[in-house]
Amino acid sequence: MAAEANNAKPTFLSPPQEGKEPIVSLRGITKRFPGVIALDHIDLDIYPGTVHALLGENGAGKSTLVKVLYGIYTPDEGEIIINGRSTRLTSPADAISTGIVMVSQSPQIIDTLTVAENIILGLEKYNHFVPVTKVYKTIREESKRVGIKIEPGIEVWRLSYTQKQLVEILRAILLGAKVLLLDEAITYLPIEEKKRFYKFIRQFADEGGTVVLITHKIYEAMDVADKITVLRRGKVAGHLDRKEATIEKIRALMFGERSAEITYERLPTAQPEPNTVLEVKDLWVMGDFGGYAVQGVSLEVKEGEVLGIAGVAGNGQKELIQAIMRLRPVIKGKIMYNGEDITRKTTYYLRINGVGYIPDLPAKYGVSIENSIIENIAVLPVYSRGIINWDKIRELTLKLIKEFEIKTPSPDTPVKFLSGGNIMKVLVARELTVATNLLVAYNPTRALDEATAIKVRKIIKDKVLKNKVSAIIASEDLDEIFQISDRIAVMNSGKIVGVFPADKAKREEIEHLMVM
Amino acid sequence: MPGSIASFIIGVSSIFLAYYLAAVGHGLMEKSGVLNLAIDGVFTLGVAVAFAISVYTFSVPLATFIAMIVAAMFGLMLAFITTKLPISHGAAGLSTMFLGYGLAALVGLPARQLQINGRSLATIQPSLGGTWVWFYVVAFAVAVGIWYLVEKTKIGAAIRAAGENPASAEALGVNVLAVRLFASGVGYALIGIGAAVFELAYTQVWSQGAGMGYGWIAFAISLSAGRHPILIIISAMIFAVLDKYRFLIAAIYNLPPDVGKMLPFVAAIAAMIIFMVTPLRRKLAPPKSLGKIYFREERSV
Ligand SMILES: Nc1ncnc2c1ncn2[C@@H]1O[C@H](COP(=O)(O)OP(=O)(O)O)[C@@H](O)[C@H]1O
Ligand SMILES: [Mg+2]
């Protein structure tokens, strides 16, 4: 451990940083959660003026590390040294006042508040009783300077995901961030915004700022970062300089021997049957805040094919998927399943008729984290109508644990003690078992690292090819859409704006339609 | 006729103010995310404290002040234990409610004994010297003040942030505990003043259990108006009129007295429906994290 840190030392003395002291140093940082050591004696130096990428598979401890730096988690052991001074960070407010600001994958800004209200909360120079309008001018000026168009008085729920992330970044700038912690903050942005962001990050670092960048897109990290640190199971697996970093080296550090399985080649194209399993006709569905999120969508899925729905988050995919699963009322239009009108049927009906469902945020909406793996499987209506046959369920659970390599002490372990990736595996294993006809999924691998995500996609496609199951998969990850789909439908502002056979689809065209 | 309108406005002024202050204080506290099920107990205690201090000191301001302080302490305690510890807001609130009922008897009965033995109670007469005008002025001033505080200032934004999503609020730089202490302390101070007005200006008598149930009405007033300081004026007025004149109304329409007692609650349900079918719905929606236990290091899935 210490040896690794020492070995890595020379790479930090590359010319641009020569003579500079680290702005943030971690020494022996350890954080334990029930059943896991999320961070195990981490040593890390971060230098001013650099973009420092933090990579690692799911559950490696990346988020925990930046949450420690942002004062959300208090480490059990170890020391945080900021500008040469040992510092205790007991809250984000503490971190903000030392110039550390975090932006994470899910926007922290609050929907019911205005942009200005969200931003002023962290600005210490304003006392508690000033009117929020006092910051409007500053916000307008600063947003103009960095090229973001944002009205300070607008309520956040009216913004798109991208705009929200822009506000988060703007907020960080206005808070005078010297160290910007980006935890998958850019990962889900549309490609054009992403490029703008990376340019901004580079510029921020070149002007002397410091960025800690977490992403599971290794190429992006290699593109923009000066330094790369790979975490594995809570420990530092290695430090790399940009010049010496190759994709193979990074993957090897991240995944060990599993890195050989990583490929983004398209999975084999299915040969669908002529009959239609799912048909959606002129569907209109409301969003959470009034207004139609789905506006006249029509589509169909043939037996034994994967229809991928590409789109930037917040363009109605969630509502469409929920309407199909009968979790959201249909205002107008029809949903047909195997030739039968299910527009007024219940989720229960779908679940006992061969439909599997992988929702977004699976740990929240897909499993009950307080219950065991066995119980999370038994709860599905296919198993729990009448009397539950626990012996059979246990047998099935053990089989799935083996098949999907779910890391768990036992089938009776509460799901909340598993890592995010393993929670996801429990869900996918269960849903693929009940999806004898149709699988409905939204971002099925969003939370997973490369190796696990690819494995899940292979398993899904396998099932489609072998058992003639149909699948409709909405995803914000284009790599995923391209890898798994047989046909790709692009969704934008509640409408389907194009459908393409996946083997002929052009990435640029689809990206363009997504943000048009 | 003008005379009877005037006497009507004067007649409801004290119960209106009592309801208004308690409801607006309750709403302020709940905006910060602390579910307030203790209100009836602390209101009842506030009534007893105001009564007792008034008997002991014969000072309306002092009685009001002490009732306010006592209630504020309970607000601070509730905010502290529900934010700092993983304790159910419901359990903490209801236990505190019963504590309030018990303490109210303990505080009120000795003073009541003194009163029976001849000590008198300092009260405030709404009809005297235009006092009732001030009751309305105070209610409107508090309404505008609290509305401005909650909707327009930085701390107001922090209060709403803490009620919507305390984990996010914290990440945005809010000290959730401090903000909830503030909202609950001020909120309960208003509830305490409301209780004092109820005792010293409206009922002006005390027996064991005085004020019980009126806290819940304040709760219903706040809820029916979506915790909005301005709309609460309307709800509080409706409830004040129904409380003051329910027997009269029941008599006029020839309703059984028990139906008269139900009228305020029927009005609460009606008001809620009316507010919720209008575009006000969004502004009046309950805080998303109201009553939710907040662990700082909890996995946020
Ligand atoms: N709040 C928490 N409570 C319990 N366990 C947690 C919590 N946060 C993270 N963990 C666990 O700590 C480990 C590291 O998680 P995390 O830092 O989120 O990983 P990464 O961001 O690298 O995917 C995982 O095993 C995860 O399950
Ligand atoms: Mg993470």
Side-chain angles (χ1 to χ4, degrees):
Chain A
M1 183 60 236
E4 269 168 7
N6 282 337
N7 285 344
K9 266 278 151 57
T11 67
F12 286 134
L13 297 173
S14 60
Q17 287 80 44
E18 198 139 29
K20 277 191 189 157
E21 291 300 312
I23 185 164
V24 176
S25 293
L26 303 180
R27 290 290 172 263
I29 291 291
T30 299
K31 179 72 189 172
R32 299 183 189 90
F33 291 114
V36 280
I37 305 182
L39 298 175
D40 189 355
H41 297 91
I42 298 285
D43 292 332
L44 180 64
D45 291 312
I46 295 164
Y47 288 84
T50 63
V51 176
H52 196 129
L54 210 53
L55 304 178
E57 60 184 337
N58 289 124
K62 306 173 302 280
S63 296
T64 306
L65 184 70
V66 290
K67 283 181 181 166
V68 164
L69 270 177
Y70 193 49
I72 294 176
Y73 294 158
T74 314
D76 301 321
E77 288 171 35
E79 195 182 13
I80 303 172
I81 301 153
I82 298 173
N83 286 320
R85 288 231 305 275
S86 179
T87 310
R88 254 173 61 83
L89 300 170
T90 58
S91 71
D94 269 5
I96 291 169
S97 60
T98 62
I100 299 177
V101 184
M102 182 176 83
V103 179
S104 59
Q105 162 195 327
S106 43
Q108 294 296 318
I109 50 173
I110 292 170
D111 273 343
T112 50
L113 269 57
T114 65
V115 167
E117 285 171 344
N118 272 291
I119 289 176
I120 202 176
L121 293 178
L123 289 170
E124 273 171 14
K125 67 172 174 181
Y126 294 98
N127 83 48
H128 292 304
F129 297 96
V130 296
V132 175
T133 46
K134 270 257 161 48
V135 283
Y136 277 29
K137 194 159 151 267
T138 322
I139 292 177
R140 286 207 184 97
E141 280 169 9
E142 195 63 25
S143 58
K144 211 153 130 205
R145 200 181 66 79
V146 296
I148 299 171
K149 236 177 62 196
I150 287 293
E151 185 44 44
I154 194 171
E155 284 172 357
V156 166
W157 61 269
R158 295 177 186 279
L159 304 179
S160 68
Y161 176 76
T162 305
Q163 288 173 311
K164 286 184 192 177
Q165 289 300 71
L166 289 172
V167 171
E168 294 268 356
I169 297 279
L170 183 65
R171 167 178 171 272
I173 298 170
L174 284 164
L175 293 182
K178 295 189 198 71
V179 180
L180 204 50
L181 310 173
L182 301 176
D183 186 356
E184 307 275 12
I186 307 177
T187 313
Y188 302 105
L189 294 183
I191 193 85
E192 274 137 70
E193 290 299 333
K194 221 175 198 175
K195 282 183 191 148
R196 266 166 39 101
F197 256 106
Y198 278 125
K199 234 167 79 191
F200 164 78
I201 286 173
R202 200 53 260 172
Q203 191 189 339
F204 181 76
D206 291 343
E207 288 167 3
T210 308
V211 179
V212 176
L213 177 74
I214 296 179
T215 172
H216 58 254
K217 309 278 177 187
I218 302 174
Y219 286 110
E220 292 175 13
M222 288 172 62
D223 245 21
V224 71
D226 303 300
K227 306 279 176 201
I228 295 171
T229 295
V230 178
L231 295 184
R232 183 139 199 239
R233 296 178 190 149
K235 295 191 172 135
V236 174
H239 299 289
L240 293 167
D241 204 79
R242 188 216 307 247
K243 283 181 247 37
E244 52 171 341
T246 62
I247 189 98
E248 291 77 23
K249 268 192 199 167
I250 295 174
R251 282 191 181 140
L253 286 173
M254 281 173 70
F255 302 110
E257 61 272 27
R258 280 203 300 144
S259 65
E261 297 159 23
I262 296 171
T263 158
Y264 283 95
E265 253 170 61
R266 280 201 57 224
L267 296 167
T269 306
Q271 302 296 324
E273 302 292 317
N275 57 310
T276 303
V277 169
L278 178 74
E279 188 178 4
V280 172
K281 289 187 203 163
D282 187 29
L283 198 70
W284 291 76
V285 181
M286 293 289 240
D288 288 338
F289 299 110
Y292 286 101
V294 176
Q295 308 179 1
V297 163
S298 299
L299 48 82
E300 51 175 43
V301 186
K302 299 281 183 205
E303 182 177 334
E305 76 161 346
V306 179
L307 175 69
I309 300 191
V312 176
N315 276 284
Q317 304 95 309
K318 182 182 91 184
E319 290 82 0
L320 172 64
I321 292 292
Q322 289 177 346
I324 292 172
M325 283 313 296
R326 305 305 311 112
L327 293 165
R328 191 176 274 268
V330 169
I331 306 297
K332 208 182 117 198
K334 245 189 193 165
I335 306 169
M336 312 283 290
Y337 173 57
N338 282 334
E340 190 186 358
D341 186 349
I342 56 157
T343 320
R344 303 278 167 254
K345 297 268 198 243
T346 59
T347 310
Y348 176 84
Y349 178 85
L350 296 182
R351 299 302 244 148
I352 57 174
N353 282 291
V355 181
Y357 177 48
I358 303 175
D360 197 16
L361 301 177
K364 204 163 166 185
Y365 300 115
V367 292
S368 160
I369 61 172
E370 302 292 334
N371 292 90
S372 69
I373 302 179
I374 283 208
E375 287 162 343
N376 267 290
I377 289 173
V379 71
L380 282 197
V382 259
Y383 306 120
S384 62
R385 277 190 298 172
I387 292 165
I388 299 174
N389 184 342
W390 287 106
D391 289 339
K392 230 177 89 192
I393 302 278
R394 181 171 295 272
E395 209 174 289
L396 172 67
T397 306
L398 289 169
K399 189 178 132 237
L400 293 177
I401 288 175
K402 208 160 140 227
E403 206 176 306
F404 285 77
E405 296 167 22
I406 298 169
K407 282 192 211 97
T408 174
S410 95
D412 302 301
T413 305
V415 167
K416 68 175 171 186
F417 292 127
L418 307 186
S419 76
N422 280 300
I423 293 178
M424 190 69 201
K425 283 188 193 168
V426 170
L427 178 72
V428 170
R430 177 186 79 190
E431 293 304 329
L432 282 176
T433 313
V434 297
T436 50
N437 240 316
L438 174 67
L439 177 71
V440 180
Y442 184 43
N443 287 330
T445 67
R446 186 211 261 264
L448 302 179
D449 59 60
E450 268 188 314
T452 316
I454 289 165
K455 177 147 193 224
V456 167
R457 282 175 216 144
K458 278 187 180 153
I459 293 167
I460 293 175
K461 196 68 190 246
D462 240 36
K463 184 113 183 179
V464 169
L465 294 170
K466 286 212 193 93
N467 305 356
K468 289 285 173 198
V469 169
S470 312
I472 176 166
I473 300 177
S475 175
E476 285 136 33
D477 180 350
L478 265 189
D479 288 333
E480 170 158 274
I481 291 284
F482 272 93
Q483 187 162 34
I484 199 168
S485 309
D486 297 307
R487 283 188 304 130
I488 300 175
V490 184
M491 194 160 182
N492 188 341
S493 308
K495 300 188 180 76
I496 300 291
V497 292
V499 184
F500 306 85
D503 48 359
K504 301 207 179 61
K506 289 203 196 59
R507 203 172 167 118
E508 302 74 50
E509 189 178 356
I510 287 183
E511 277 171 5
H512 176 73
L513 284 172
M514 279 164 60
V515 297
M516 182 182 66
Chain B
M1 206 57 204
S4 74
I5 289 178
S7 77
F8 168 83
I9 292 175
I10 297 167
V12 296
S13 64
S14 54
I15 183 66
F16 163 73
L17 181 63
Y19 275 159
Y20 180 75
L21 293 175
V24 90
H26 170 82
L28 180 64
M29 174 173 185
E30 288 206 333
K31 279 265 176 196
S32 75
V34 184
L35 181 68
N36 181 20
L37 295 185
I39 182 168
D40 200 51
V42 181
F43 187 88
T44 304
L45 175 60
V47 166
V49 168
F51 167 74
I53 302 295
S54 174
V55 167
Y56 292 136
T57 67
F58 204 71
S59 161
V60 168
L62 197 60
T64 308
F65 180 74
I66 303 290
M68 174 185 94
I69 295 296
V70 169
M73 302 298 281
F74 277 90
L76 294 176
M77 180 194 78
L78 278 169
F80 184 83
I81 60 175
T82 54
T83 306
K84 207 67 185 162
L85 310 169
I87 289 183
S88 138
H89 292 209
L94 291 176
S95 316
T96 308
M97 176 188 81
F98 286 113
L99 184 66
Y101 291 155
L103 289 174
L106 223 56
V107 168
L109 286 173
R112 175 73 190 128
Q113 201 51 52
L114 270 184
Q115 197 193 23
I116 291 170
N117 295 343
R119 279 279 270 281
S120 54
L121 173 78
T123 59
I124 179 164
Q125 300 304 334
S127 54
L128 270 186
T131 305
W132 62 274
V133 176
W134 286 104
F135 282 8
Y136 286 109
V137 170
V138 167
F140 289 121
V142 170
V144 173
I146 298 287
W147 172 80
Y148 181 81
L149 183 86
V150 171
E151 299 296 332
K152 298 292 168 194
T153 67
K154 178 178 172 185
I155 189 145
I159 290 171
R160 283 178 284 134
E164 281 298 306
N165 186 339
S168 291
E170 197 94 35
L172 291 168
V174 173
N175 182 338
V176 172
L177 178 63
V179 156
R180 285 185 171 175
L181 287 173
F182 174 80
S184 305
V186 173
Y188 258 106
L190 290 169
I191 292 171
I193 300 173
V197 170
F198 178 85
E199 172 60 26
L200 304 178
Y202 184 56
T203 64
Q204 305 186 348
V205 294
W206 191 89
S207 59
Q208 194 174 342
M212 246 181 180
Y214 285 85
W216 288 126
I217 294 181
F219 183 102
I221 290 171
S222 174
L223 200 63
S224 70
R227 302 176 186 78
H228 191 290
I230 309 286
L231 291 179
I232 291 175
I233 291 181
I234 301 169
S235 287
M237 196 60 191
I238 294 170
F239 278 83
V241 171
L242 288 174
D243 192 73
K244 180 112 182 131
Y245 296 108
R246 62 188 177 202
F247 296 115
L248 191 64
I249 296 168
I252 290 172
Y253 292 99
N254 209 0
L255 304 168
D258 289 323
V259 174
K261 277 189 203 156
M262 280 158 39
L263 281 177
F265 298 98
V266 175
I269 295 169
M272 261 184 268
I273 294 170
I274 290 166
F275 289 137
M276 288 307 153
V277 297
T278 65
L280 282 169
R281 188 173 50 213
R282 168 186 304 288
K283 263 261 128 329
L284 304 183
K288 277 219 186 67
S289 297
L290 178 62
K292 286 201 186 136
I293 293 175
Y294 166 50
F295 289 121
R296 273 202 49 201
E297 298 211 348
E298 193 185 24
R299 178 187 224 129
S300 35
V301 281

